[in-house]
Every structure is written in C-alpha cells, then in structure tokens.
Amino acid sequence: MTLEQENNTGWKFFLSELKPKGKLLTPFNIISVPIVLLGIVLIVIRFWKGIGAITNLTQEVPWGLWIGFDVVTGVAFAGGAYVVTFLVYILHMKKYYPIMRATVLNGFLAYVFYAGALLLDLGRPWNVINPIIGNNFGVSSVLFLVAWHFLLYMIAQLIEFSPAIAEWLGAKRIHKILSGMTIAAVIFGITLSTLHQSGLGALYLMAKEKIHPLWYSEFLPIMFFVSSIFAGLSMVIFEGSISHRVFFQQISEKNHRAQNTIIMGLAKICAGAMFAYFFLQILVFIHDKNWNFLDTPMGYWFMMEMIGFILLPMMLFYVSYRKGNITLIRIASILTMLGIILNRLNVTVIGFKWDAPIHYIPSWMEIVVTLTVIFTEIWIFRWVIRRMPVLSDAPSWAKNEH
Amino acid sequence: MSITRRGFFKAVCATGAVLALGRELQASPSAGKGGIEYRGMLYDSTLCKGCHGCEFDCAEANGLPYPELGQDLPPIRTTSETQRTVVNTYSTSKGEVFVKVQCMHCNEPACVAACLTQAMFKSKAGPVIWREDKCMGCRYCMVSCPFNIPKFEYHSPNPKIIKCDLCYNRLKTGEIPACAANCPNEALFYGTRRQLIKEARRRIVENPTKYVDYLYGEDEAGGTCWLYLSPVKFEEIGMKTTIQKSSYPALTKGFLYSVPTIFVLFPALLLGMHQATKNDHQTKEE
Ligand code: SF4
Ligand code: SF4
C-alpha cells in the first residue's frame, strides 16, 4: 500500500466511525436532540447579546446554575475517576479493573464538558488563555489553581484513557508507550484531584458573610473533598447500572458477573466515606456553634440534607452491603447523588445571599443550556463506548502487555 | 514502568516549586510593596449635603451616562454597571444622613486575591484598578468582594467590570479624584491613609458630640483606603458592620499554602503505596 492509499483508508475509517452506530429513534434521542438544538440557539444568543440575555444572574449573585451545578456539582460527580484509579493502580485491587475505563472516560468527558461550561459563563472568554500564558498569573487566586488543575487533570485523564484509543485504532507501538505512562498519570491525577476537589470549596472561602452559616465554614475545602469520594462513586454505581443495560452486548459474561461484587465493594467505600463526612459535618456544626440557626426554615432545610440525603443513604449503603441487595445500593446511590446536588447548590446558589430581598432563580434558558451540556456529554460517551474497548474487553494483542 | 522513580520525584518537586512561587499575599496596613504610602479618601458624612454632585463628576470623569435623579429617586441605591458611585439618604436618630458608596480600595482586597489574571490590581499608591486586557469576565471578584462593589455588564457581548478606580488616570497626571476635586462641601478629603486617619481622629476628638467614636474603614476587611466618619452608629447608615476586621485573602491562605506540600507529599506517598501493594500481590501470587 502506498502512503497515499494508507491515508485514504485512514480517512475512510474515520468517516465511517463518525456515523452513529445504534438505533436513531431511541427515546433518549427523541428527547435530547430538540433540547440540544434549542440549547445551541441559546448559546448563540448568549454570545451575541451578553450573559444577561439568557440568564437570571444579578449583580448580587454573579455565579448561578452554570457554576453551581455544571462546574461545582459536575466535577464532584466526576470524582469517581480518581477514586477508582486509586483502587486499581495504587492499591492494585484488580477487582475494579472492569469499570476503570468507563469511569475514566466518564470523568474525562465530565471535565471537558462541565469545566467547558465555565467558558459559557465567562464574560470575556477570549481572555481565558491569559492565566495560562501568563498575562498575568494570579497565583493568590484559588480559581487560578482550580483552572490550572482542570487543564492538567484533563491531560492526565486523557493519558490514562489513551490505551483504549490506541486499541481502537490498532496502533500497537503507541499503545505500549501510552500504557507505560499510565501510572505516572494516575499519581499526578490523584494529587490534582485532591487539590481541585477541595479547591472548589476553597473558592467560596472569601464569600464569608454571603453564604448561610450552616453551610459556610473554614472547612469547606475538606468537606468538598471528602464528599467528592462518595459523590463520584455513587455516580459510578448509577452510570454502571445504566451502561450495563444499554450496552449489554458489549460486556463479556465474566464482567457481567463481576459487576455485582464491584458494586458491593463501592457501596462499602461509600458508606465509610459518608460516615466520615457526616462526622465532620457534626464537628463543624458544634465548632461553629450553629444551634440557633436550627429552628429556622434554613435550619430545617439543612437537617433535611443531613438526615435525608447523608445519614439515610449512608445507612442504606451499609445495610444493602450487608444483605447483598443490589437494588437497594442503586437507590442509595441515587439518594446520595441528590444529596450532593442539594449540598453544592446550597453552598453556591440557595444559601448564597440567602438573606437578600430578591433571590436568584435560574431561568429556563439556563436549565436548557445545562441539559445541552449534559446530553452532548452523554452522546459522546455513547459514541466512544460503541467504538473503543471501554466496557468490552481489550483486543488480545493489548492484553498480553499487562 | 517507563519513568524512573527519581525522575518522577524531580518532576514533581519542580511542579510543586513552580506552584509555590510568589504565593505570598500582600499584607501591609498602610503602605504597599514599594513602601509608598497608600492614598485614600476620608468621607465625612456630617459635611455631605446630599447634592449628588459627585455622581455627575464621576460619570463625566469616567465616560459614563449621567445618573437620572428624578423625583421618585429611591433613597437607597447600589452602584451599578453605569454608576461607580451613588449617594444614599438615611433617616437616622440625628436626622437625615447622606452616605456615599463606592469601592473601598481595601488594603488587602479580596477582589485582587480572587482574580486569576491580575486584572484586578492593587496599584502601588493604593487604588484598586481593573485592567480590561487581562480580565476574562469570570466574576470571581464579585463573588469575593465583601462590599459587593464590582459590577458586571450582563447585557454586553464585550462586558466590562465596573467599579471605582479612584480616578487612576487623573492620579497619574497629578490630579486628585474627580469627586473630591469638585465636592462643594469638602465632605471628601484626599490624602495618604496616615494623614486621613490623623485628620479623622482630630475631628472626632474635637467634636465628640458630632461624631460617633469610630472610624469605619480603619480595620474593616483588614483596613481600607476609604474611611468614613458618621454622626450615628454605622448600622444606622447602612454600612456593613458584619464585615470581619481582618484580611479576606487570609481566609484562603491556609488552603493555598497547603498546595505545594500536597504536591510534594502525595505523589511520594502514592508511589510508595503503589510499590508496597504491588509486592504484596506478587508474594501472594507466588
Ligand atoms: S471594596 Fe471590593 S472591589 Fe473594592 S477593593 Fe475592596 S474587595 Fe475590591
Ligand atoms: S471578572 Fe475579571 S477582574 Fe474579576 S476576577 Fe474575573 S478576571 Fe479578575
């Protein structure tokens, strides 16, 4: 084959792979396509007329749904990637290997899209390169740290995932090089994750009087970090149970059977992390002497979060782990995820300027754009899973190297 | 593994060092890095007659539209994307008191610590300025400012952050800020922060019945370049009294200082664990 021919087949391979592989008229597509199209129109309006044209943000509440949900909550949910790579590569718990790639892929895409949603929220996005090229480095800024870490972590995750891409393309030599880089990327990635998961909490440290005292504390960074462990794992459990249904034919018999023990293991870790988190919350509550806030509407809201969405799912995780009840674990993971959404929104939106006369409520357009971001991420996730060995086993030539 | 342990450590340490560089936050009560004394403004609310003249002077000096002051002017307004300063009216136990609102030009500004591009910038002489070519419009400065000062043009595709810069351009040519230059009642007094504090103290001591014995801005948020005198308690004239009396950037110091440490410790720890458990598994398999 001449070089030209080779290039030609390369292109053909690419083009043929671009086409969707599954059924087109699935319920998910029927819902997501119009929303994404609408979202794109809204995004165009946003860049044309300014952020205020489609959001309800005010001078009092400059960060709304796009930061509070897309970025802060989305990144917490993406925390599963660093926990699972920690289990697989650092602690050598081979049991979790089957879910590793899907989790890393999910994490990577979450960062690309949810951190990417940050761009929509930037008033002057063309200057986004400034803190990267050094015009100027605002090193005393937590956001500077978080932004850099997002960037570096995306690269680390891409490296972690890259062997799957090489397997898809059948590039054996590159595969070997990329696999060799995995462990360094994993170590780097976990370190970065620890820092930026807590960094997202640290972002709000200077907003001391603006956040309701039940949610503000100097321990926000630690809280955000600890909760990202079970937030991420709940997402893994949830996403795993959906993937196992949707992409049934991709998954080998062996991995299907392994799925339950994996979920049980994750449930155990979740229960432990949630216990630590709950304990921390109580310590902070007592330390900050917040008793007098309890008997207020915000206090009830706080207790609902603590009891209904931390304590309850924690006990469910524990019980279902003891009983081996997978359905209960799934319920617990959904409750936990709701709890995380609640917590992050309480810090960033609901409890932010809670005492202001006018409250920020996201516009329907902000919600559509958020859904657009989520749906596009799922589309790409699906596209990759149908092509690369993520859930399915790696080709035999790649396995021998391990 | 294609990377040696030593090489890896080296890389990690280098990263840690890079991230640690220049992390100190500015901390200085009355003077900046160059040892130049901060300049600021003393606002004496007992002298202000509420003529709103400074609002017009400010608009003129900064190319903003003139404020619309109709009959139905609400007594209390906030600064906005078209107004860097406003004068509010409070009815208090000692009658009507007027209060000018604008950026306080904190000694250790939260907005500057928040800004990841140094678009918000504490200049040597004290004014906190905003630099258009650097700002990416993230609005983290707005989230962080304890006085809610920076405002954002939500309805522009090329939005700016709007806030008082103490007429930085006028200062450069040797003039004093427009509001102080034109105030007919001498309610605004421009000078070095040290002078201002001395002058304020003098007024309080000489007229103990006229003023409350408190200088707002001396300690608020770690000290600000704008200082306020009032005839009544500051709560009565809508000044934020919940503001902490120490630096806001210091709130994130602990977190930021831990970053280099974690960057050095964690990889070492993780690599150690990786090696330890690896041997563990191998021995088990043997
Ligand atoms: S008052 Fe707000 S905007 Fe002005 S210097 Fe202080 S923190 Fe910055
Ligand atoms: S909006 Fe601009 S000035 Fe404010 S923190 Fe962001 S980059 Fe800095």
Side-chain angles (χ1 to χ4, degrees):
Chain A
M1 216 176 352
T2 66
L3 198 66
E4 204 173 308
Q5 274 170 325
E6 206 173 66
N7 274 343
N8 264 336
T9 46
W11 265 115
K12 269 190 203 133
F13 171 69
F14 238 72
L15 287 177
S16 71
E17 290 286 79
L18 265 183
K19 283 196 206 110
K21 272 195 180 168
K23 261 198 299 180
L24 280 180
L25 281 178
T26 59
F28 174 72
N29 284 356
I30 291 169
I31 298 171
S32 63
V33 171
I35 291 188
V36 170
L37 290 178
L38 181 59
I40 292 171
V41 174
L42 292 174
I43 291 172
V44 171
I45 297 177
R46 174 252 166 276
F47 280 106
W48 178 30
K49 295 247 162 143
I51 294 176
I54 68 164
T55 70
N56 277 351
L57 293 172
T58 62
Q59 305 292 0
E60 298 272 301
V61 184
W63 282 359
L65 189 72
W66 290 352
I67 300 285
F69 183 76
D70 301 19
V71 180
V72 177
T73 315
V75 167
F77 284 147
Y82 81 89
V83 184
V84 172
T85 52
F86 177 73
L87 298 176
V88 172
Y89 288 107
I90 305 298
L91 298 184
H92 293 277
M93 298 167 94
K94 286 270 156 17
K95 164 173 137 185
Y96 296 106
Y97 191 80
I99 58 163
M100 207 269 304
R101 278 188 173 174
T103 310
V104 171
L105 173 65
N106 211 345
F108 173 69
L109 292 178
Y111 274 84
V112 171
F113 280 89
Y114 303 148
L118 202 78
L119 284 183
L120 298 178
D121 202 64
L122 291 184
R124 311 166 60 80
W126 52 92
N127 275 344
V128 71
I129 45 158
N130 277 349
I132 297 163
I133 60 171
N135 178 27
N136 290 24
F137 292 135
V139 284
S140 61
S141 167
V142 180
L143 191 59
F144 176 79
L145 180 109
V146 170
W148 261 98
H149 280 202
F150 277 179
L151 196 72
L152 293 175
Y153 188 48
M154 278 186 224
I155 297 172
Q157 281 187 315
L158 192 59
I159 295 174
E160 287 167 22
F161 185 70
S162 60
I165 303 177
E167 284 160 23
W168 170 55
L169 298 172
K172 298 189 185 176
R173 281 253 304 284
I174 297 174
H175 182 269
K176 198 158 184 193
I177 301 171
L178 291 173
S179 305
M181 286 158 68
T182 304
I183 188 70
V186 164
I187 289 180
F188 193 49
I190 295 171
T191 311
L192 288 169
S193 292
T194 319
L195 286 170
H196 69 240
Q197 291 287 0
S198 46
L200 286 174
L203 276 182
Y204 286 88
L205 284 177
M206 282 196 283
K208 196 178 174 193
E209 289 88 16
K210 299 184 186 177
I211 297 172
H212 192 282
L214 282 171
W215 284 276
Y216 180 92
S217 85
E218 57 188 299
F219 302 103
L220 266 181
I222 298 174
M223 299 288 203
F224 269 45
F225 169 67
V226 177
S227 53
S228 77
I229 297 174
F230 56 82
L233 290 183
S234 297
M235 185 63 167
V236 171
I237 296 173
F238 178 72
E239 174 266 318
S241 32
I242 291 179
S243 293
H244 267 247
R245 223 158 279 169
V246 178
F247 304 109
F248 189 83
Q249 47 326 348
Q250 296 238 347
I251 302 163
S252 70
E253 242 335 276
K254 190 172 124 248
N255 284 349
H256 246 306
R257 264 180 277 119
Q259 176 76 358
N260 282 0
T261 45
I262 292 176
I263 288 187
M264 299 284 254
L266 297 180
K268 198 167 97 180
I269 303 173
C270 276
M274 289 175 94
F275 181 75
Y277 178 71
F278 190 70
F279 191 68
L280 267 174
Q281 283 281 12
I282 292 178
L283 280 187
V284 169
F285 181 83
I286 295 169
H287 175 265
D288 287 353
K289 304 196 183 59
N290 281 334
W291 293 106
N292 47 332
F293 292 109
L294 266 197
D295 198 18
T296 63
M298 283 312 253
Y300 308 145
W301 187 242
F302 177 76
M303 283 198 284
M304 186 187 84
E305 182 193 322
M306 285 303 126
I307 296 171
F309 294 96
I310 304 289
L311 202 59
L312 178 67
M314 178 186 99
M315 293 194 304
L316 285 183
F317 271 130
Y318 180 73
V319 171
S320 50
Y321 163 72
R322 296 296 296 268
K323 294 212 172 130
N325 187 336
I326 298 289
T327 323
L328 209 54
I329 293 184
R330 292 203 176 119
I331 294 172
S333 74
I334 291 171
L335 274 182
T336 309
M337 285 167 61
L338 288 177
I340 289 293
I341 296 176
L342 202 60
N343 174 262
R344 297 305 195 260
L345 290 184
N346 277 337
V347 173
T348 58
V349 175
I350 300 169
F352 193 88
K353 289 280 175 75
W354 82 101
D355 49 356
I358 304 165
H359 284 277
Y360 156 84
I361 294 164
S363 70
W364 65 268
M365 293 178 277
E366 286 177 79
I367 297 173
V368 169
V369 171
T370 297
L371 290 175
T372 302
V373 171
I374 297 174
F375 286 149
T376 327
E377 197 239 308
I378 297 177
W379 282 358
I380 304 231
F381 184 71
R382 191 174 59 179
W383 185 87
V384 175
I385 295 230
R386 291 228 168 100
R387 282 159 188 83
M388 303 182 194
V390 176
L391 292 171
S392 54
D393 286 338
S396 53
W397 59 262
K399 267 192 207 154
N400 300 335
E401 284 173 16
H402 285 295
Chain B
M1 212 168 69
S2 69
I3 183 166
T4 67
R5 216 192 293 198
R6 247 186 97 218
F8 185 65
F9 275 140
K10 263 197 207 151
V12 165
C13 293
T15 329
V18 167
L19 289 170
L21 268 187
R23 181 125 295 155
E24 322 94 65
L25 303 158
Q26 319 144 325
S28 42
S30 264
K33 276 185 219 143
I36 301 174
E37 270 195 72
Y38 282 159
R39 269 143 225 282
M41 196 86 75
L42 175 65
Y43 173 73
D44 190 333
S45 63
T46 64
L47 296 178
C48 176
K49 300 253 172 8
C51 69
H52 299 284
C54 52
E55 293 184 23
F56 288 88
D57 302 326
C58 176
E60 185 150 328
N62 297 299
L64 293 167
Y66 281 146
E68 281 162 34
L69 306 176
Q71 276 303 307
D72 49 350
L73 184 73
I76 297 170
R77 295 168 295 154
T78 55
T79 57
S80 68
E81 62 260 55
T82 54
Q83 275 200 281
R84 293 187 182 193
T85 186
V86 293
V87 176
N88 287 332
T89 313
Y90 290 89
S91 34
T92 70
S93 48
K94 284 195 184 171
E96 262 187 352
V97 176
F98 303 101
V99 181
K100 184 176 182 299
V101 180
Q102 74 298 306
C103 172
M104 300 291 286
H105 297 277
C106 309
N107 290 351
E108 295 175 62
C111 60
V112 171
C115 185
L116 72 172
T117 61
Q118 295 185 346
M120 276 296 178
F121 183 72
K122 179 86 177 162
S123 61
K124 284 206 188 89
V128 174
I129 60 170
W130 175 78
R131 302 185 288 187
E132 183 168 5
D133 57 323
K134 299 189 190 291
C135 172
M136 57 189 232
C138 67
R139 307 189 295 290
Y140 187 29
C141 49
M142 301 169 71
V143 170
S144 302
C145 168
F147 300 97
N148 292 319
I149 291 302
K151 297 285 140 72
F152 181 77
E153 295 177 329
Y154 280 108
H155 292 279
S156 160
N158 181 14
K160 297 186 192 66
I161 294 282
I162 305 290
K163 76 167 201 63
C164 162
D165 62 0
L166 215 64
C167 287
Y168 189 63
N169 287 327
R170 286 172 62 100
L171 293 181
K172 274 197 290 198
T173 59
E175 288 174 290
I176 69 168
C179 51
N182 297 313
C183 177
N185 303 309
E186 293 183 338
L188 292 166
F189 179 54
Y190 177 77
T192 68
R193 195 165 180 269
R194 189 196 306 265
Q195 275 174 349
L196 299 180
I197 292 176
K198 226 165 121 192
E199 171 64 17
R201 289 251 165 277
R202 190 185 62 79
R203 292 187 196 179
I204 293 177
V205 169
E206 286 177 7
N207 310 285
T209 49
K210 195 172 167 194
Y211 298 101
V212 288
D213 185 11
Y214 190 83
L215 183 56
Y216 190 94
E218 194 174 6
D219 299 317
E220 270 69 23
T224 61
C225 288
W226 272 72
L227 299 159
Y228 282 66
L229 283 171
S230 163
V232 292
K233 280 218 171 77
F234 280 91
E235 291 95 88
E236 281 193 61
I237 55 168
M239 301 292 284
K240 283 200 169 188
T241 45
T242 49
I243 301 274
Q244 67 170 15
K245 300 280 185 330
S246 53
S247 148
Y248 275 81
L251 292 169
T252 55
K253 238 182 215 168
F255 174 75
L256 287 171
Y257 280 171
S258 71
V259 170
T261 323
I262 289 184
F263 247 102
V264 176
L265 280 185
F266 261 52
L269 218 72
L270 291 170
L271 199 59
M273 277 158 93
H274 169 76
Q275 298 293 356
T277 50
K278 190 183 196 167
N279 295 340
D280 207 37
H281 280 256
Q282 272 164 359
T283 34
K284 255 187 224 154
E285 275 160 30
E286 274 161 18

